[in-house]
Amino acid sequence: MNRKENISEDGNITSGKNISNWTDSVSPIVFKPLTEDLETDIVIIGGGLAGISIAYCLTQEGRKVILVEDGYIGSGETGRTTAHIVTALDNRYYTLENIFGEEDTQLIAESHIAAIDFIENTIKKEKINCEFERLNGYLFLHPSDEKVSLDKELEAASRAGIKVIDTAKVPGLISNEERCICFPEQAQFHPLKYLKGLCAIIEQKGGKIFTETHAAKIDHKGLTTKTGYTIKANHIVVATNSPVNDKYAVHLKQTAFRTYVIGALIKKDSLPKALWWDTGDQKENPTFPPYHYVRVQTYNDQYDLLISGGEDHQTGDENETSHAADKIYSSLEKWTREYFPIEEIKYRWSGQVMEPMDSIAYIGRNPLDRDNVYIVTGDSGNGMTHCTIAGMLITDLITGKENKWKQIYAPSRFTLKTSSHFFKEAMYTLKDFLKTSPDHKDAAELSSVKTGEGKIVNLQQKKYGVFRDKENLLHIVSAKCAHLGCTVAWNKDEQTWDCPCHGSRYTYKGKVINGPANNDLAAYSEMYALETK
Ligand SMILES: Cc1cc2nc3c(=O)[nH]c(=O)nc-3n(C[C@H](O)[C@H](O)[C@H](O)COP(=O)(O)OP(=O)(O)OC[C@H]3O[C@@H](n4cnc5c(N)ncnc54)[C@H](O)[C@@H]3O)c2cc1C
Ligand code: FES
């Protein structure tokens, strides 16, 4: 099945040109747009896993909920995920212990165990057919990492209360990879089928969902949509992946990364259903070592799909030669072929993850705001569990129940232990990017923009982002990010304008698709519509 025909011209169904196997295998989850003013108890902005999980939990408590989504349900990062549902977190337990101490690390572990159980129980209770299964996950060493990492992780994970088994050989790999840590009782599912199932229950319980409804103004009283309708509410939950209601507080404490995925055919049943991860390239970036993550998904009668991801880099530096997308997909394929018996590559896509300065998500009351405004962000690559934790935790905050995870996930926290290293790393990457990116050093000539290409161009002493489409039409947008004004960079692979500062992203027409920006880039394309090569 091919769902490409469902993508609107500027990528409305998903946050980029490429589509994932999830988007390709189900119909878009569509509701009517909002066309009237409404009042409710709780309004939720964002129809990804976070928003939908929160809406589900609140409607289970009998609360009146309205959710608005400016694309379709799951058209953000949830439609681009690989949906490993894990307690084997991207950041090692020994790192978490170092940051939070043993006791709080146990609470973190407990929250992720609870999240997997919650997903499993909900699927059973609501009879959601979303290919959920429990399976083993295997963590093995990246060649740049030291053997002692596995020992340290085994000990720290057990201290945190996670089941781990020291295992002599990694099952399923064609290379002779030796020792690994087995994490039993991990899980996987089809994320969009799960969302669809939850949406049906939310509606049955009286919740209302509106898609293609952009919340243009958000405050503690509610929201106003781009088309001018209002929703007044007692509680406002901003679940837009990167909060669009906050300019500074949380965005200075996290960094946006681009991560890449291929979906490749493997002979049916040639691999066990399992999850595999390496410990990450310590040389590339010791703070956030880019690692590989792999799973198997049923595809057709002859083949399964091996979904392999990794090769992360900071958002906005795709133009740097070492991070050109074609090169990245090639190294991802090369790495995958070394370890797994893959055949034809069927899918290539990328997405954005938010890396918080201290490794775990920000879930709770929005800092420097009224007490009735809540946010969820900083997925740290473990969004399946973090979004589910948000469902439970934000529901408790709204309903006034005690929740022992409240302090750990509080968005107002500031972790001194990691701050200097985090800021040094973030500034270094940003400076390095600004220095080396040709688009930023010298703006290009308008005539040099080839078909299918985007470039930053100087016009009348101002910088513009220019994309030339197949019809030779030039789409010209302001190059100044609508968040805090950094210059956006062209993402050739997804055909979007991406901001290197805090991860805002826009379609080639300038429509905002990722926060923190909540406004489009000013577009001037009509002015230059007749420009030729
Ligand atoms: C390639 C990739 C692989 C990943 N793999 C894993 C994995 O294996 N396991 C794991 O746990 N996590 C993984 N993650 C992370 C996980 O997918 C995400 O953290 C999670 O899906 C985020 O969900 P969300 O609801 O926060 O955001 P989203 O799904 O992005 O939802 C936010 C929604 O808000 C909407 N929105 C934004 N602004 C507005 C507005 N103003 N008005 C209305 N709507 C608005 C957007 O359209 C969007 O749909 C991966 C991520 C990527 C990109
Ligand atoms: S995302 Fe902050 S300036 Fe662009």
Side-chain angles (χ1 to χ4, degrees), residues 80 147 172 199 222 228 257 368 388 506 515 521:
R80 306 190 143 247
K147 286 197 170 130
C199 286
F257 280 81
L368 312 176
T388 308
Y506 309 83
L521 294 173

XYZ file of all heavy atoms in Angstrom, residues 80 147 172 199 222 228 257 368 388 506 515 521:
88
model
N 6.928 8.824 12.794
C 8.283 8.628 12.256
C 9.147 7.827 13.219
O 10.339 7.659 13.000
C 8.950 9.989 12.038
C 8.129 10.880 11.205
C 8.838 12.123 10.772
N 8.389 12.376 9.416
C 9.150 12.303 8.346
N 10.415 12.054 8.452
N 8.630 12.494 7.145
N 34.846 -2.117 27.205
C 34.120 -3.298 27.710
C 33.489 -3.040 29.073
O 32.420 -3.562 29.386
C 35.091 -4.477 27.814
C 35.429 -5.035 26.453
C 36.024 -6.417 26.529
C 36.088 -6.981 25.117
N 37.360 -7.513 24.748
N 20.863 -13.444 16.846
C 20.356 -12.834 15.614
C 21.393 -12.145 14.752
O 21.176 -11.949 13.560
N -7.827 6.871 20.128
C -8.745 7.941 19.693
C -10.196 7.460 19.769
O -11.084 8.210 20.196
C -8.437 8.362 18.251
S -6.954 9.336 18.121
N -6.752 29.322 27.529
C -7.124 28.431 26.432
C -6.351 28.758 25.179
O -5.180 29.129 25.248
N -9.263 31.551 13.872
C -9.959 32.517 14.720
C -10.947 31.935 15.727
O -11.606 32.691 16.432
N 17.941 16.848 17.871
C 18.785 15.993 17.024
C 17.961 15.371 15.900
O 16.775 15.079 16.080
C 19.395 14.860 17.859
C 20.595 15.290 18.657
C 20.439 15.947 19.864
C 21.881 15.090 18.180
C 21.540 16.371 20.595
C 22.989 15.508 18.898
C 22.817 16.156 20.110
N 7.639 29.193 34.776
C 7.366 30.629 34.616
C 5.978 30.900 34.020
O 5.776 31.840 33.278
C 8.440 31.307 33.744
C 9.900 31.023 34.067
C 10.832 31.678 33.065
C 10.230 31.496 35.477
N 3.879 8.105 27.567
C 2.916 7.338 28.366
C 2.993 7.770 29.827
O 1.964 7.911 30.509
C 3.199 5.828 28.208
O 3.241 5.539 26.806
C 2.148 4.976 28.882
N 10.268 23.923 9.236
C 9.235 24.502 8.372
C 9.240 23.740 7.053
O 10.289 23.288 6.594
C 9.554 25.980 8.081
C 9.828 26.804 9.322
C 11.097 26.809 9.910
C 8.817 27.559 9.911
C 11.354 27.562 11.043
C 9.065 28.314 11.053
C 10.343 28.310 11.617
O 10.601 29.052 12.748
N 7.967 22.821 16.726
C 8.251 23.940 17.607
C 9.730 23.983 17.922
O 10.479 23.144 17.457
N 7.211 30.862 8.587
C 8.181 31.820 8.067
C 7.425 32.711 7.092
O 6.573 32.214 6.337
C 9.297 31.096 7.299
C 10.225 30.181 8.093
C 11.151 29.432 7.136
C 11.035 30.970 9.110
